[in-house]
């Protein structure tokens, strides 16, 4: 998957999670940019990504992510290695 495809898929998940079709993710989007992006919804996003894309993330991998772009790059790295659920 390309960076743009991953970002598009994540945008769909965010829109569904937050019930907000106006969300437009960028590589620089952070939790501060989206209302209600708290720890509970963070878990919901991760579970949805893992289920939809069949990729497993370890807690240590996601703890230090600063923005959506870093998550996209982690996603690319994991999918390139064929690390699936």
């Amino acid at each position: 998957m390309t960076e743009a495809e991953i970002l598009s898929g994540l945008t769909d998940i965010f829109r569904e999670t937050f019930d907000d079709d106006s969300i437009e993710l960028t590589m620089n989007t952070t939790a501060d940019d989206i209302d209600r992006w708290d720890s509970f919804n963070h878990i919901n996003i991760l579970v949805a990504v893992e289920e939809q894309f069949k990729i497993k993330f370890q807690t240590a991998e996601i703890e230090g992510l600063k923005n959506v772009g870093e998550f996209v790059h982690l996603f690319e790295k994991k999918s390139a290695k064929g690390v699936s659920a």
Side-chain angles (χ1 to χ4, degrees):
M1 292 184 86
T2 68
E3 191 174 278
E5 290 170 329
I6 295 167
L7 195 57
S8 175
L10 290 176
T11 298
D12 291 342
I13 289 171
F14 273 71
R15 288 175 176 174
E16 185 173 324
T17 299
F18 295 103
D19 193 27
D20 182 351
D21 288 339
S22 71
I23 291 175
E24 290 293 335
L25 294 182
T26 69
M27 297 296 274
N28 296 315
T29 301
T30 68
D32 292 337
D33 298 322
I34 298 178
D35 289 340
R36 301 181 339 216
W37 186 353
D38 56 16
S39 58
F40 178 73
N41 280 322
H42 191 77
I43 298 299
N44 289 336
I45 292 164
L46 292 171
V47 168
V49 169
E50 288 182 339
E51 287 178 2
Q52 182 170 334
F53 295 103
K54 308 295 186 241
I55 293 177
K56 279 293 222 190
F57 298 98
Q58 302 299 317
T59 303
E61 293 174 318
I62 57 172
E63 282 180 331
L65 299 178
K66 295 178 179 75
N67 58 37
V68 169
E70 289 184 7
F71 186 60
V72 168
H73 292 141
L74 174 62
F75 185 111
E76 287 176 314
K77 182 174 147 185
K78 303 257 323 170
S79 61
K81 290 183 179 179
V83 179
S84 60

